[in-house]
Amino acid sequence: MDIFLTILQGVPMTIGLTVAALAIGAVGGIPLALGRRSNVPIISLAAVSIIEILRGIPPIVWLFIIYFGLGTALPMLDPITSAVVGLGLISCAYMAEIYRGGLSAITRGQWEASEALGMGRGSVLTFIIGPQVFRVSVPAAASYAIGLLKDSSVAYTIGVSEIVYFANDQSRQTSDALGPFFLAALVYVIMTIPCAWATRALDARLRMRVAR
Amino acid sequence: MNFLSDWPTFLPGLLAGLGVSVQVALLSLVIGIPGGLLLAIGASSRKKAVRLLIIGVVEIGRGTPALVVLQIFYFGLPASGLTLSSMAASVVALAATTAAYTSEILRGGLQAVPQGEVEAAGALGMSRRDTLRFIVVPQGLRIAIPSLIGFAILIFQATSLAYTVALPELLSQAYSIGSSTFNYLSVLVLAGLMYAAITIPASWLTSRAEKRLARHL
């Protein structure tokens, strides 16, 4: 029981990392998604390259590049900052792809109708298309968030004190190699399953408000 | 700055590591995907107990980070008398993760096969097993191919987690070169580019596969 409580101490860090990275991704994904749809070839090529490179390299490698690679030159990159920056950058790429899916789900007619009403491209995006894209993107973003919650465990390798870090620590102290990791797995399962239910319910509610 | 000039000297070590990474990924997929298919078929079993058990296994498998599964197989199993090498532990752990994830992908594929075909097969007097084998599984697998390739890319990336169990794969090699030359940034960036050199063309393959399949369905 003590072991379980100790492992629970890692939960705030795991959730914090996930929320911070997701917030960075939710904002940073917007310019990448719009850039990808740009009519200027250089911009869309740049956006596609950034997205592909961010997604193509494993998260743990990004964390190592930032923490061990850049960290030697930039001492303010402590483990937590490095993990947030690394996971946040990766989220930008994934969120951009999710927004892209959402943008293509909005029918062309809405762009045309807004244009016919004399709205500028910017205001169509902010008032008509944007809010709907966010709603359509919720299920995909939520399943990505659940994946991110689990992926945040890689931050343990650079010494961030999240769930796996405490599990590892406990298994050394109690010389029980199996129990702490099972408890860690249990904590993740407990966190992810209600998330999956909640998103299904939220998705059903938001979907009703999207024009088709 | 000798950022690029050292790359030729890093290359042999990293290529050896890349070989190990690819090997682990392929073995995990070869073992894990058939496992996922069995789970997918089991999840639509008519026996409620079987169905619930399998859904439970899949949910737990998908809810647990691959890193934790890996730690359980490598550090945990010796405690119960079964010691695995870092290679075996990595393959078994990633294969288990593959089975859990691909079972959901394959279940989606199997369900996408029109119900009418199953009924037609029944009307022709085909047994349930034959219907599954000749009608549902071949079509379901084809529908699932793009998502399976997408998942294979993620498993290839996940082999980097085996660094934590001292498997000499790409990331471990890069890290050990980094710690002996103190040129972490250069060697890690090269390693990252080597991952990208495989994953990016593979993701193009996914979108091509999607387009090809869309033509027939």
Side-chain angles (χ1 to χ4, degrees):
Chain A
M1 199 61 212
D2 281 349
I3 299 176
F4 188 62
L5 290 179
T6 315
I7 291 172
L8 281 184
Q9 286 174 21
V11 171
M13 181 59 81
T14 293
I15 294 177
L17 278 181
T18 309
V19 171
L22 202 63
I24 295 173
V27 177
I30 298 173
L32 282 178
L34 294 176
R36 192 168 178 161
R37 283 171 63 96
S38 167
N39 295 328
V40 186
I42 297 170
I43 295 180
S44 64
L45 187 68
V48 171
S49 313
I50 293 171
I51 292 172
E52 291 284 355
I53 287 280
L54 284 174
R55 296 200 315 164
I57 297 177
I60 187 169
V61 178
W62 275 120
L63 296 197
F64 274 38
I65 290 176
I66 294 168
Y67 184 63
F68 295 114
L70 298 176
T72 44
L74 306 166
M76 70 280 202
L77 284 172
D78 56 77
I80 297 175
T81 319
S82 307
V84 169
V85 171
L87 294 173
L89 281 174
I90 298 168
S91 313
C92 288
Y94 279 96
M95 288 303 294
E97 290 295 276
I98 291 171
Y99 291 147
R100 186 167 73 107
L103 275 169
S104 58
I106 309 296
T107 53
R108 276 202 65 77
Q110 298 210 27
W111 287 95
E112 286 159 5
S114 316
E115 208 171 302
L117 289 169
M119 291 175 80
R121 253 184 95 83
S123 47
V124 177
L125 214 50
T126 11
F127 298 113
I128 312 288
I129 309 291
Q132 298 190 74
V133 169
F134 277 113
R135 281 190 200 126
V136 177
S137 303
V138 164
S143 55
Y144 177 65
I146 294 171
L148 189 61
L149 188 80
K150 288 178 282 170
D151 276 352
S152 71
S153 58
V154 301
Y156 138 78
T157 56
I158 58 169
V160 176
S161 49
E162 45 70 75
I163 295 171
V164 182
Y165 179 90
F166 279 105
N168 198 38
D169 197 45
Q170 284 297 306
S171 87
R172 278 195 194 134
Q173 278 182 25
T174 60
S175 66
D176 170 7
L178 206 51
F181 289 115
F182 268 126
L183 290 174
L186 182 70
V187 172
Y188 279 104
V189 171
I190 292 173
M191 287 199 296
T192 51
I193 289 178
C195 278
W197 286 339
T199 51
R200 237 168 270 157
L202 182 68
D203 174 39
R205 278 183 50 189
L206 289 178
R207 247 170 213 284
M208 291 190 292
R209 301 180 54 183
V210 178
R212 289 268 166 196
Chain B
M1 190 63 203
N2 49 3
F3 186 82
L4 291 175
S5 61
D6 284 344
W7 281 13
T9 59
F10 295 155
L11 215 51
L14 292 187
L15 281 177
L18 184 64
V20 176
S21 298
V22 169
Q23 209 181 334
V24 170
L26 289 180
L27 283 173
S28 311
L29 291 169
V30 166
I31 299 170
I33 292 179
L37 185 60
L38 287 182
L39 289 174
I41 293 170
S44 55
S45 162
R46 276 176 300 184
K47 292 197 187 72
K48 198 171 182 193
V50 175
R51 211 165 56 218
L52 284 181
L53 179 74
I54 287 183
I55 290 174
V57 168
V58 169
E59 284 297 323
I60 291 171
R62 296 191 332 141
T64 312
L67 180 63
V68 176
V69 179
L70 191 59
Q71 308 275 312
I72 289 175
F73 276 105
Y74 187 67
F75 295 111
L77 284 190
S80 56
L82 182 67
T83 308
L84 294 177
S85 68
S86 57
M87 179 73 178
S90 312
V91 169
V92 173
L94 291 179
T97 308
T98 304
Y101 275 91
T102 53
S103 79
E104 283 291 289
I105 296 174
L106 291 167
R107 198 161 64 98
L110 296 183
Q111 278 172 355
V113 176
Q115 190 59 33
E117 295 193 18
V118 178
E119 285 163 12
L124 288 170
M126 283 176 86
S127 67
R128 227 179 108 79
R129 180 179 296 175
D130 279 353
T131 309
L132 208 56
R133 186 169 149 208
F134 296 111
I135 312 286
V136 178
V137 170
Q139 296 189 83
L141 273 182
R142 253 185 55 179
I143 297 170
I145 283 173
S147 315
L148 285 179
I149 301 177
F151 183 77
I153 297 172
L154 288 184
I155 274 294
F156 173 64
Q157 292 199 359
T159 58
S160 58
L161 300 174
Y163 152 79
T164 59
V165 298
L167 181 72
E169 45 69 61
L170 182 48
L171 180 63
S172 315
Q173 294 288 55
Y175 186 75
S176 72
I177 292 174
S179 54
S180 60
T181 61
F182 290 102
N183 208 343
Y184 284 108
L185 186 61
S186 170
V187 70
L188 285 168
V189 166
L190 179 58
L193 289 178
M194 286 168 81
Y195 279 109
I198 290 190
T199 54
I200 293 177
S203 77
W204 293 337
L205 197 68
T206 321
S207 48
R208 278 198 48 170
E210 258 163 23
K211 281 194 191 113
R212 268 187 73 104
L213 281 172
R215 223 167 43 193
H216 296 289
L217 291 172

